[in-house]
Amino acid sequence: MKRIDAERERRLAWFREARFGMFIHWGLYAVPGGVWKGRDVGGVGEWIYNSAQITVADYEPLQQQFNPVKFSAKEWVATAKDAGMRYIVITSKHHDGFCLWDSKLTDWDVMGTPFKRDILKELAAECQKQKIKLCFYHSIMDWHHPDYLPRRGWDKRPVAEANFARYIAYMKGQLKELLTGYGPIGIAWFDGEWEGTWTHAHGEDLYQFVRALQPNTIVNNRVDKGRQGMAGMTKGDFAGDYGTPEQEIPANGFGEGVDWESCMTLNDTWGFKSKDTNWKSTETLLKNLIDCASKGGNYLLNVGPTPEGTFPQPIIERLGMMGKWLKAHGEAIYGTQASPFPKPLPWGRVTRKGNKLYLHVFNTSQPTLLLPGLKTKVKSARTLGKERISVPASASPEGVTLTLPESLKNQPLPVIVLELDGPPTVEVSET
């Protein structure tokens, strides 16, 4: 039997309660917005340095073009809160090495721009005021720093003087700034660990370094080398508190006691890309959130702010609609556990809280919903929301069948609450 680490359980309690967070990719790459020297650059916006094979000398002038005069930490945090998000993960430093805070260790930061304001300091103050957890994405990989190795193939700066150990000391120094000067940090969200210069020993050391500075901070699995591709989960004995699937949601979850979070985009890119208008619908975004929660995971939904410091209007509209749904149905998302059914059901998804099951109906066109193999007696079944419509439920050898009320037929993503006579017992058919 796996021993429960009480300290880890306490540290992750808020994360399991939250279920929904905002990812923010923002930096100098927002200025070109996917266009370099008049050419649309393929790939995601924040990788333009790599995708367009830009030299450091050609990339550095973007610092003097970054002046997000419309940035408002108050508005950003309020948008996240109104959407029902419980935490924000922002790129303190992405792969281009540019820093969104006033770092004493480099001039390659926001204080060297015309804006000259510590963005993370302002966000930290607003997050504390509006009771949202602030978290930092921090790239291990750094295309700009002279000591980072390996270099890109087109980067012709001499490598003889480069010292990777000195780079690690620099990175730790910056993390110390972030973890001692910006209040409580919910997550240290690392990335860029896949390059050969980063080792398991580095990962273990960095994990312990973060935990020593802020013992309550959660550290994702990308701090170390155990992540298995975009599926995002760790195999083997590696550092990290939870898994990080990217742009996908696991088919069936990972079972009890495995923490994870799917990070996904609202369109096709992370950083702002002016010509990417392939926005996901509100229905798709809500289904993704429900799908994650039904499998015991979190949904980290990304926004890419403009160079002026605003969220594109399609993002604001969709987040507003998600917030409206969560105001009515948040009980079925926040603090829930994974479905007791081993696989997603054909008509929708199930979340659980104690002796209650929440049935998220994706397909309202069918007359009945089957909960296969459910043996626990149903005490009551009703819709979640103000109306509280009673839903007929009947037990049979196949499980429990609910008859969908006509009033739910045209509702978008209705939720039915089942109160059971004890913890749910599900007998899985061998066929």
Short mmCIF file of all heavy atoms in Angstrom, two decimals, residues 15-76:
data_model
loop_
_atom_site.label_atom_id
_atom_site.label_comp_id
_atom_site.label_asym_id
_atom_site.label_seq_id
_atom_site.Cartn_x
_atom_site.Cartn_y
_atom_site.Cartn_z
N PHE A 15 -4.66 23.05 -4.98
CA PHE A 15 -4.57 22.72 -6.40
C PHE A 15 -5.71 21.78 -6.80
O PHE A 15 -6.33 21.94 -7.86
CB PHE A 15 -3.20 22.08 -6.65
CG PHE A 15 -2.92 21.66 -8.06
CD1 PHE A 15 -2.53 22.60 -9.01
CD2 PHE A 15 -3.01 20.33 -8.44
CE1 PHE A 15 -2.25 22.21 -10.32
CE2 PHE A 15 -2.73 19.93 -9.74
CZ PHE A 15 -2.35 20.88 -10.68
N ARG A 16 -5.98 20.80 -5.96
CA ARG A 16 -7.07 19.85 -6.24
C ARG A 16 -8.44 20.50 -6.12
O ARG A 16 -9.39 20.10 -6.80
CB ARG A 16 -6.97 18.67 -5.27
CG ARG A 16 -5.71 17.83 -5.47
CD ARG A 16 -5.47 16.89 -4.31
NE ARG A 16 -4.26 16.09 -4.52
CZ ARG A 16 -3.65 15.42 -3.56
NH1 ARG A 16 -4.13 15.45 -2.32
NH2 ARG A 16 -2.55 14.73 -3.82
N GLU A 17 -8.55 21.48 -5.27
CA GLU A 17 -9.80 22.22 -5.11
C GLU A 17 -10.05 23.12 -6.32
O GLU A 17 -11.18 23.29 -6.78
CB GLU A 17 -9.75 23.06 -3.83
CG GLU A 17 -10.89 24.02 -3.62
CD GLU A 17 -12.21 23.35 -3.29
OE1 GLU A 17 -12.20 22.23 -2.73
OE2 GLU A 17 -13.27 23.94 -3.60
N ALA A 18 -8.98 23.71 -6.86
CA ALA A 18 -9.09 24.78 -7.87
C ALA A 18 -9.64 24.30 -9.21
O ALA A 18 -10.52 24.92 -9.80
CB ALA A 18 -7.73 25.42 -8.08
N ARG A 19 -9.08 23.24 -9.75
CA ARG A 19 -9.48 22.61 -11.01
C ARG A 19 -9.33 23.47 -12.26
O ARG A 19 -9.23 22.95 -13.36
CB ARG A 19 -10.94 22.11 -10.92
CG ARG A 19 -11.13 20.92 -10.01
CD ARG A 19 -10.40 19.69 -10.53
NE ARG A 19 -10.45 18.54 -9.63
CZ ARG A 19 -9.40 17.84 -9.25
NH1 ARG A 19 -8.19 18.18 -9.66
NH2 ARG A 19 -9.53 16.81 -8.45
N PHE A 20 -9.27 24.81 -12.14
CA PHE A 20 -9.29 25.66 -13.33
C PHE A 20 -8.32 26.84 -13.12
O PHE A 20 -8.43 27.56 -12.13
CB PHE A 20 -10.71 26.17 -13.55
CG PHE A 20 -10.96 26.87 -14.86
CD1 PHE A 20 -10.18 26.63 -15.99
CD2 PHE A 20 -12.02 27.77 -14.97
CE1 PHE A 20 -10.44 27.28 -17.19
CE2 PHE A 20 -12.29 28.41 -16.17
CZ PHE A 20 -11.50 28.17 -17.28
N GLY A 21 -7.37 27.00 -14.06
CA GLY A 21 -6.41 28.09 -13.95
C GLY A 21 -6.19 28.77 -15.29
O GLY A 21 -6.53 28.23 -16.36
N MET A 22 -5.61 29.96 -15.23
CA MET A 22 -5.26 30.72 -16.43
C MET A 22 -3.75 30.66 -16.66
O MET A 22 -2.97 30.95 -15.77
CB MET A 22 -5.69 32.19 -16.28
CG MET A 22 -5.25 33.07 -17.45
SD MET A 22 -5.66 34.83 -17.24
CE MET A 22 -7.39 34.81 -17.75
N PHE A 23 -3.37 30.28 -17.87
CA PHE A 23 -1.98 30.30 -18.31
C PHE A 23 -1.81 31.60 -19.10
O PHE A 23 -2.65 31.93 -19.94
CB PHE A 23 -1.72 29.10 -19.22
CG PHE A 23 -0.36 28.50 -19.15
CD1 PHE A 23 -0.06 27.37 -19.92
CD2 PHE A 23 0.65 29.02 -18.35
CE1 PHE A 23 1.20 26.78 -19.87
CE2 PHE A 23 1.91 28.43 -18.30
CZ PHE A 23 2.18 27.31 -19.06
N ILE A 24 -0.72 32.33 -18.89
CA ILE A 24 -0.45 33.55 -19.65
C ILE A 24 0.95 33.47 -20.24
O ILE A 24 1.93 33.40 -19.51
CB ILE A 24 -0.57 34.82 -18.77
CG1 ILE A 24 -1.96 34.91 -18.13
CG2 ILE A 24 -0.29 36.06 -19.60
CD1 ILE A 24 -2.11 36.07 -17.16
N HIS A 25 1.03 33.47 -21.57
CA HIS A 25 2.30 33.54 -22.28
C HIS A 25 2.44 34.96 -22.81
O HIS A 25 1.71 35.38 -23.71
CB HIS A 25 2.33 32.54 -23.45
CG HIS A 25 2.72 31.16 -23.06
ND1 HIS A 25 1.90 30.35 -22.30
CD2 HIS A 25 3.84 30.43 -23.32
CE1 HIS A 25 2.49 29.18 -22.12
NE2 HIS A 25 3.68 29.20 -22.71
N TRP A 26 3.41 35.69 -22.25
CA TRP A 26 3.56 37.09 -22.65
C TRP A 26 5.02 37.49 -22.56
O TRP A 26 5.72 37.12 -21.61
CB TRP A 26 2.72 37.98 -21.75
CG TRP A 26 2.44 39.35 -22.31
CD1 TRP A 26 2.16 39.66 -23.60
CD2 TRP A 26 2.38 40.57 -21.57
NE1 TRP A 26 1.93 41.01 -23.72
CE2 TRP A 26 2.06 41.60 -22.49
CE3 TRP A 26 2.57 40.90 -20.24
CZ2 TRP A 26 1.92 42.93 -22.11
CZ3 TRP A 26 2.44 42.23 -19.85
CH2 TRP A 26 2.11 43.23 -20.78
N GLY A 27 5.47 38.22 -23.54
CA GLY A 27 6.86 38.68 -23.56
C GLY A 27 7.13 39.42 -24.85
O GLY A 27 6.21 39.85 -25.56
N LEU A 28 8.40 39.56 -25.20
CA LEU A 28 8.79 40.32 -26.39
C LEU A 28 8.20 39.74 -27.67
O LEU A 28 7.95 40.47 -28.64
CB LEU A 28 10.32 40.36 -26.51
CG LEU A 28 11.08 41.03 -25.35
CD1 LEU A 28 12.56 41.09 -25.68
CD2 LEU A 28 10.54 42.42 -25.05
N TYR A 29 7.97 38.43 -27.69
CA TYR A 29 7.44 37.76 -28.89
C TYR A 29 6.05 38.25 -29.27
O TYR A 29 5.59 38.04 -30.39
CB TYR A 29 7.43 36.24 -28.71
CG TYR A 29 6.98 35.80 -27.33
CD1 TYR A 29 5.64 35.72 -26.99
CD2 TYR A 29 7.92 35.49 -26.35
CE1 TYR A 29 5.23 35.33 -25.73
CE2 TYR A 29 7.52 35.10 -25.07
CZ TYR A 29 6.18 35.02 -24.77
OH TYR A 29 5.78 34.64 -23.51
N ALA A 30 5.37 38.93 -28.33
CA ALA A 30 4.05 39.50 -28.65
C ALA A 30 4.19 40.63 -29.67
O ALA A 30 3.25 40.91 -30.42
CB ALA A 30 3.37 40.00 -27.39
N VAL A 31 5.34 41.30 -29.68
CA VAL A 31 5.54 42.46 -30.57
C VAL A 31 5.47 42.04 -32.04
O VAL A 31 4.66 42.58 -32.80
CB VAL A 31 6.86 43.19 -30.24
CG1 VAL A 31 7.09 44.32 -31.24
CG2 VAL A 31 6.82 43.75 -28.82
N PRO A 32 6.27 41.07 -32.50
CA PRO A 32 6.12 40.63 -33.90
C PRO A 32 4.82 39.87 -34.13
O PRO A 32 4.31 39.84 -35.26
CB PRO A 32 7.34 39.75 -34.15
CG PRO A 32 7.78 39.29 -32.80
CD PRO A 32 7.44 40.41 -31.85
N GLY A 33 4.30 39.21 -33.10
CA GLY A 33 3.01 38.53 -33.22
C GLY A 33 2.96 37.50 -34.33
O GLY A 33 1.94 37.35 -34.99
N GLY A 34 4.07 36.79 -34.55
CA GLY A 34 4.09 35.74 -35.56
C GLY A 34 4.55 36.19 -36.93
O GLY A 34 4.58 35.38 -37.86
N VAL A 35 4.90 37.47 -37.09
CA VAL A 35 5.35 38.00 -38.38
C VAL A 35 6.78 38.54 -38.21
O VAL A 35 7.04 39.35 -37.33
CB VAL A 35 4.42 39.12 -38.88
CG1 VAL A 35 4.93 39.70 -40.20
CG2 VAL A 35 2.99 38.62 -39.04
N TRP A 36 7.69 38.08 -39.07
CA TRP A 36 9.08 38.53 -39.01
C TRP A 36 9.54 38.97 -40.40
O TRP A 36 9.48 38.20 -41.34
CB TRP A 36 9.99 37.42 -38.48
CG TRP A 36 11.36 37.92 -38.15
CD1 TRP A 36 12.51 37.73 -38.89
CD2 TRP A 36 11.74 38.71 -37.02
NE1 TRP A 36 13.57 38.35 -38.28
CE2 TRP A 36 13.14 38.96 -37.13
CE3 TRP A 36 11.05 39.23 -35.93
CZ2 TRP A 36 13.83 39.72 -36.19
CZ3 TRP A 36 11.74 39.99 -34.99
CH2 TRP A 36 13.11 40.22 -35.11
N LYS A 37 9.91 40.25 -40.50
CA LYS A 37 10.36 40.84 -41.76
C LYS A 37 9.33 40.62 -42.87
O LYS A 37 9.66 40.23 -44.00
CB LYS A 37 11.73 40.27 -42.17
CG LYS A 37 12.84 40.67 -41.20
CD LYS A 37 14.20 40.18 -41.66
CE LYS A 37 15.29 40.66 -40.68
NZ LYS A 37 16.64 40.19 -41.08
N GLY A 38 8.07 40.84 -42.49
CA GLY A 38 6.97 40.74 -43.45
C GLY A 38 6.51 39.35 -43.77
O GLY A 38 5.60 39.16 -44.59
N ARG A 39 7.09 38.35 -43.13
CA ARG A 39 6.75 36.95 -43.44
C ARG A 39 6.01 36.32 -42.27
O ARG A 39 6.42 36.44 -41.12
CB ARG A 39 8.04 36.17 -43.73
CG ARG A 39 7.82 34.69 -44.00
CD ARG A 39 9.13 34.03 -44.42
NE ARG A 39 10.11 33.96 -43.34
CZ ARG A 39 10.19 32.94 -42.48
NH1 ARG A 39 9.35 31.92 -42.56
NH2 ARG A 39 11.13 32.93 -41.55
N ASP A 40 4.90 35.65 -42.57
CA ASP A 40 4.21 34.87 -41.54
C ASP A 40 5.08 33.68 -41.17
O ASP A 40 5.42 32.86 -42.03
CB ASP A 40 2.85 34.36 -42.07
CG ASP A 40 1.84 35.47 -42.20
OD1 ASP A 40 2.15 36.60 -41.78
OD2 ASP A 40 0.75 35.23 -42.74
N VAL A 41 5.41 33.58 -39.91
CA VAL A 41 6.28 32.51 -39.44
C VAL A 41 5.43 31.37 -38.90
O VAL A 41 4.52 31.58 -38.10
CB VAL A 41 7.25 33.03 -38.35
CG1 VAL A 41 8.15 31.90 -37.84
CG2 VAL A 41 8.08 34.18 -38.88
N GLY A 42 5.73 30.16 -39.32
CA GLY A 42 4.98 29.00 -38.85
C GLY A 42 5.27 28.72 -37.39
O GLY A 42 6.17 29.29 -36.78
N GLY A 43 4.48 27.81 -36.82
CA GLY A 43 4.67 27.45 -35.41
C GLY A 43 3.97 28.41 -34.48
O GLY A 43 3.23 29.30 -34.90
N VAL A 44 4.23 28.24 -33.19
CA VAL A 44 3.56 29.05 -32.18
C VAL A 44 4.30 30.37 -31.97
O VAL A 44 5.51 30.47 -32.19
CB VAL A 44 3.43 28.28 -30.85
CG1 VAL A 44 2.36 27.21 -30.96
CG2 VAL A 44 4.75 27.65 -30.43
N GLY A 45 3.56 31.39 -31.52
CA GLY A 45 4.07 32.75 -31.48
C GLY A 45 5.31 32.96 -30.63
O GLY A 45 6.22 33.70 -31.00
N GLU A 46 5.36 32.30 -29.47
CA GLU A 46 6.47 32.55 -28.54
C GLU A 46 7.77 31.86 -28.97
O GLU A 46 8.82 32.12 -28.38
CB GLU A 46 6.07 32.13 -27.12
CG GLU A 46 6.02 30.65 -26.85
CD GLU A 46 4.83 29.93 -27.48
OE1 GLU A 46 3.95 30.62 -28.05
OE2 GLU A 46 4.78 28.69 -27.40
N TRP A 47 7.70 31.04 -30.00
CA TRP A 47 8.89 30.36 -30.53
C TRP A 47 9.44 31.06 -31.78
O TRP A 47 10.22 30.48 -32.52
CB TRP A 47 8.56 28.90 -30.87
CG TRP A 47 8.66 27.96 -29.70
CD1 TRP A 47 7.84 27.91 -28.61
CD2 TRP A 47 9.63 26.93 -29.51
NE1 TRP A 47 8.24 26.90 -27.76
CE2 TRP A 47 9.34 26.29 -28.28
CE3 TRP A 47 10.72 26.48 -30.26
CZ2 TRP A 47 10.09 25.24 -27.79
CZ3 TRP A 47 11.47 25.43 -29.76
CH2 TRP A 47 11.17 24.81 -28.54
N ILE A 48 9.05 32.30 -32.02
CA ILE A 48 9.44 32.96 -33.27
C ILE A 48 10.96 33.09 -33.40
O ILE A 48 11.51 32.99 -34.50
CB ILE A 48 8.75 34.33 -33.42
CG1 ILE A 48 8.91 34.84 -34.86
CG2 ILE A 48 9.23 35.34 -32.38
CD1 ILE A 48 8.01 36.01 -35.20
N TYR A 49 11.66 33.28 -32.30
CA TYR A 49 13.13 33.34 -32.35
C TYR A 49 13.70 32.07 -32.99
O TYR A 49 14.58 32.13 -33.84
CB TYR A 49 13.68 33.52 -30.93
CG TYR A 49 15.19 33.38 -30.82
CD1 TYR A 49 16.03 34.48 -30.91
CD2 TYR A 49 15.80 32.13 -30.64
CE1 TYR A 49 17.40 34.37 -30.82
CE2 TYR A 49 17.17 31.99 -30.56
CZ TYR A 49 17.98 33.11 -30.65
OH TYR A 49 19.34 32.97 -30.57
N ASN A 50 13.13 30.94 -32.58
CA ASN A 50 13.59 29.65 -33.08
C ASN A 50 13.03 29.39 -34.49
O ASN A 50 13.77 28.99 -35.40
CB ASN A 50 13.13 28.55 -32.12
CG ASN A 50 13.65 27.17 -32.49
OD1 ASN A 50 14.75 26.80 -32.14
ND2 ASN A 50 12.83 26.40 -33.19
N SER A 51 11.74 29.64 -34.67
CA SER A 51 11.08 29.30 -35.95
C SER A 51 11.63 30.12 -37.11
O SER A 51 11.76 29.62 -38.23
CB SER A 51 9.57 29.52 -35.83
OG SER A 51 9.04 28.76 -34.76
N ALA A 52 11.94 31.40 -36.86
CA ALA A 52 12.46 32.28 -37.91
C ALA A 52 13.99 32.33 -37.91
O ALA A 52 14.58 33.05 -38.71
CB ALA A 52 11.89 33.68 -37.76
N GLN A 53 14.61 31.54 -37.00
CA GLN A 53 16.07 31.49 -36.88
C GLN A 53 16.67 32.90 -36.77
O GLN A 53 17.53 33.32 -37.55
CB GLN A 53 16.68 30.71 -38.05
CG GLN A 53 16.20 29.27 -38.10
CD GLN A 53 17.00 28.40 -39.06
OE1 GLN A 53 17.91 28.85 -39.73
NE2 GLN A 53 16.65 27.12 -39.11
N ILE A 54 16.19 33.61 -35.77
CA ILE A 54 16.62 34.99 -35.53
C ILE A 54 17.88 34.98 -34.66
O ILE A 54 17.98 34.21 -33.71
CB ILE A 54 15.49 35.79 -34.83
CG1 ILE A 54 14.20 35.70 -35.66
CG2 ILE A 54 15.91 37.23 -34.63
CD1 ILE A 54 12.97 36.22 -34.93
N THR A 55 18.82 35.84 -34.97
CA THR A 55 20.01 35.95 -34.12
C THR A 55 19.68 36.79 -32.88
O THR A 55 18.72 37.57 -32.88
CB THR A 55 21.17 36.62 -34.88
OG1 THR A 55 20.80 37.97 -35.19
CG2 THR A 55 21.51 35.85 -36.15
N VAL A 56 20.49 36.64 -31.86
CA VAL A 56 20.32 37.43 -30.65
C VAL A 56 20.39 38.92 -30.97
O VAL A 56 19.58 39.73 -30.48
CB VAL A 56 21.37 37.04 -29.59
CG1 VAL A 56 21.42 38.06 -28.45
CG2 VAL A 56 21.07 35.66 -29.03
N ALA A 57 21.32 39.30 -31.82
CA ALA A 57 21.49 40.71 -32.18
C ALA A 57 20.25 41.27 -32.88
O ALA A 57 19.89 42.44 -32.68
CB ALA A 57 22.72 40.87 -33.08
N ASP A 58 19.58 40.45 -33.67
CA ASP A 58 18.37 40.91 -34.37
C ASP A 58 17.14 40.87 -33.47
O ASP A 58 16.16 41.60 -33.70
CB ASP A 58 18.12 40.05 -35.62
CG ASP A 58 19.07 40.39 -36.75
OD1 ASP A 58 19.69 41.48 -36.71
OD2 ASP A 58 19.20 39.56 -37.68
N TYR A 59 17.17 40.00 -32.46
CA TYR A 59 16.02 39.86 -31.56
C TYR A 59 16.02 40.95 -30.48
O TYR A 59 14.95 41.42 -30.06
CB TYR A 59 16.05 38.48 -30.90
CG TYR A 59 14.78 38.06 -30.20
CD1 TYR A 59 13.71 37.51 -30.92
CD2 TYR A 59 14.63 38.18 -28.82
CE1 TYR A 59 12.55 37.11 -30.30
CE2 TYR A 59 13.47 37.78 -28.18
CZ TYR A 59 12.43 37.25 -28.92
OH TYR A 59 11.28 36.86 -28.29
N GLU A 60 17.19 41.37 -30.04
CA GLU A 60 17.30 42.29 -28.91
C GLU A 60 16.57 43.62 -29.11
O GLU A 60 16.04 44.18 -28.14
CB GLU A 60 18.77 42.53 -28.56
CG GLU A 60 19.38 41.37 -27.78
CD GLU A 60 20.82 41.62 -27.38
OE1 GLU A 60 21.48 42.46 -28.03
OE2 GLU A 60 21.29 40.96 -26.43
N PRO A 61 16.49 44.19 -30.33
CA PRO A 61 15.76 45.45 -30.49
C PRO A 61 14.29 45.39 -30.10
O PRO A 61 13.67 46.44 -29.88
CB PRO A 61 15.93 45.75 -31.99
CG PRO A 61 17.21 45.10 -32.36
CD PRO A 61 17.24 43.83 -31.55
N LEU A 62 13.72 44.19 -30.01
CA LEU A 62 12.32 44.08 -29.58
C LEU A 62 12.13 44.65 -28.17
O LEU A 62 11.03 45.08 -27.82
CB LEU A 62 11.86 42.61 -29.61
CG LEU A 62 11.74 41.94 -30.98
CD1 LEU A 62 11.37 40.48 -30.83
CD2 LEU A 62 10.71 42.66 -31.85
N GLN A 63 13.18 44.62 -27.38
CA GLN A 63 13.07 45.15 -26.01
C GLN A 63 12.64 46.61 -26.02
O GLN A 63 11.84 47.03 -25.18
CB GLN A 63 14.41 44.99 -25.27
CG GLN A 63 14.34 45.35 -23.79
CD GLN A 63 15.65 45.09 -23.07
OE1 GLN A 63 16.71 45.03 -23.69
NE2 GLN A 63 15.59 44.94 -21.77
N GLN A 64 13.14 47.39 -26.98
CA GLN A 64 12.79 48.81 -27.04
C GLN A 64 11.43 49.04 -27.70
O GLN A 64 10.92 50.17 -27.69
CB GLN A 64 13.88 49.58 -27.79
CG GLN A 64 15.22 49.60 -27.08
CD GLN A 64 15.09 50.04 -25.62
OE1 GLN A 64 14.44 51.05 -25.30
NE2 GLN A 64 15.69 49.26 -24.71
N GLN A 65 10.83 47.98 -28.23
CA GLN A 65 9.50 48.10 -28.84
C GLN A 65 8.38 47.62 -27.91
O GLN A 65 7.21 47.73 -28.23
CB GLN A 65 9.46 47.30 -30.14
CG GLN A 65 10.46 47.76 -31.19
CD GLN A 65 10.50 46.82 -32.39
OE1 GLN A 65 9.46 46.39 -32.90
NE2 GLN A 65 11.69 46.46 -32.83
N PHE A 66 8.78 47.07 -26.76
CA PHE A 66 7.79 46.51 -25.83
C PHE A 66 7.32 47.61 -24.89
O PHE A 66 8.04 48.03 -23.99
CB PHE A 66 8.42 45.36 -25.04
CG PHE A 66 7.46 44.60 -24.17
CD1 PHE A 66 6.56 43.70 -24.72
CD2 PHE A 66 7.46 44.76 -22.79
CE1 PHE A 66 5.67 42.98 -23.92
CE2 PHE A 66 6.58 44.06 -21.98
CZ PHE A 66 5.69 43.16 -22.55
N ASN A 67 6.10 48.09 -25.11
CA ASN A 67 5.56 49.19 -24.30
C ASN A 67 4.06 49.00 -24.13
O ASN A 67 3.25 49.69 -24.74
CB ASN A 67 5.87 50.53 -24.95
CG ASN A 67 5.57 51.70 -24.03
OD1 ASN A 67 5.52 51.55 -22.81
ND2 ASN A 67 5.37 52.87 -24.61
N PRO A 68 3.66 48.02 -23.29
CA PRO A 68 2.24 47.67 -23.16
C PRO A 68 1.45 48.65 -22.29
O PRO A 68 1.07 48.36 -21.16
CB PRO A 68 2.30 46.28 -22.51
CG PRO A 68 3.56 46.32 -21.70
CD PRO A 68 4.53 47.17 -22.47
N VAL A 69 1.19 49.82 -22.86
CA VAL A 69 0.59 50.93 -22.08
C VAL A 69 -0.83 50.63 -21.61
O VAL A 69 -1.34 51.30 -20.71
CB VAL A 69 0.62 52.23 -22.90
CG1 VAL A 69 2.06 52.70 -23.10
CG2 VAL A 69 -0.06 52.04 -24.27
N LYS A 70 -1.50 49.63 -22.20
CA LYS A 70 -2.87 49.30 -21.77
C LYS A 70 -2.91 48.18 -20.74
O LYS A 70 -3.98 47.75 -20.32
CB LYS A 70 -3.70 48.89 -22.99
CG LYS A 70 -3.91 50.03 -23.99
CD LYS A 70 -4.77 49.59 -25.16
CE LYS A 70 -4.95 50.73 -26.17
NZ LYS A 70 -5.75 50.29 -27.34
N PHE A 71 -1.73 47.72 -20.29
CA PHE A 71 -1.69 46.65 -19.29
C PHE A 71 -2.31 47.11 -17.98
O PHE A 71 -2.00 48.18 -17.46
CB PHE A 71 -0.25 46.21 -19.04
CG PHE A 71 -0.09 45.35 -17.82
CD1 PHE A 71 -0.55 44.04 -17.80
CD2 PHE A 71 0.50 45.85 -16.65
CE1 PHE A 71 -0.42 43.25 -16.66
CE2 PHE A 71 0.65 45.07 -15.52
CZ PHE A 71 0.19 43.76 -15.53
N SER A 72 -3.19 46.28 -17.45
CA SER A 72 -3.79 46.53 -16.14
C SER A 72 -3.84 45.21 -15.38
O SER A 72 -4.61 44.31 -15.73
CB SER A 72 -5.22 47.09 -16.28
OG SER A 72 -5.90 47.03 -15.03
N ALA A 73 -3.02 45.10 -14.34
CA ALA A 73 -3.02 43.88 -13.52
C ALA A 73 -4.40 43.66 -12.92
O ALA A 73 -4.88 42.51 -12.85
CB ALA A 73 -1.97 43.99 -12.43
N LYS A 74 -5.06 44.73 -12.54
CA LYS A 74 -6.40 44.63 -11.94
C LYS A 74 -7.38 43.99 -12.92
O LYS A 74 -8.14 43.09 -12.56
CB LYS A 74 -6.89 46.02 -11.54
CG LYS A 74 -8.24 46.03 -10.86
CD LYS A 74 -8.63 47.44 -10.45
CE LYS A 74 -10.00 47.45 -9.76
NZ LYS A 74 -10.39 48.83 -9.36
N GLU A 75 -7.33 44.42 -14.19
CA GLU A 75 -8.25 43.87 -15.19
C GLU A 75 -7.91 42.42 -15.52
O GLU A 75 -8.81 41.59 -15.68
CB GLU A 75 -8.21 44.73 -16.46
CG GLU A 75 -8.90 46.06 -16.30
CD GLU A 75 -8.91 46.87 -17.59
OE1 GLU A 75 -8.66 46.28 -18.68
OE2 GLU A 75 -9.15 48.09 -17.52
N TRP A 76 -6.63 42.11 -15.63
CA TRP A 76 -6.24 40.73 -15.93
C TRP A 76 -6.73 39.77 -14.85
O TRP A 76 -7.32 38.73 -15.15
CB TRP A 76 -4.71 40.64 -16.03
CG TRP A 76 -4.12 41.09 -17.32
CD1 TRP A 76 -4.67 41.96 -18.22
CD2 TRP A 76 -2.86 40.69 -17.86
NE1 TRP A 76 -3.81 42.14 -19.28
CE2 TRP A 76 -2.70 41.38 -19.09
CE3 TRP A 76 -1.85 39.85 -17.42
CZ2 TRP A 76 -1.57 41.23 -19.89
CZ3 TRP A 76 -0.72 39.69 -18.21
CH2 TRP A 76 -0.58 40.37 -19.43
#
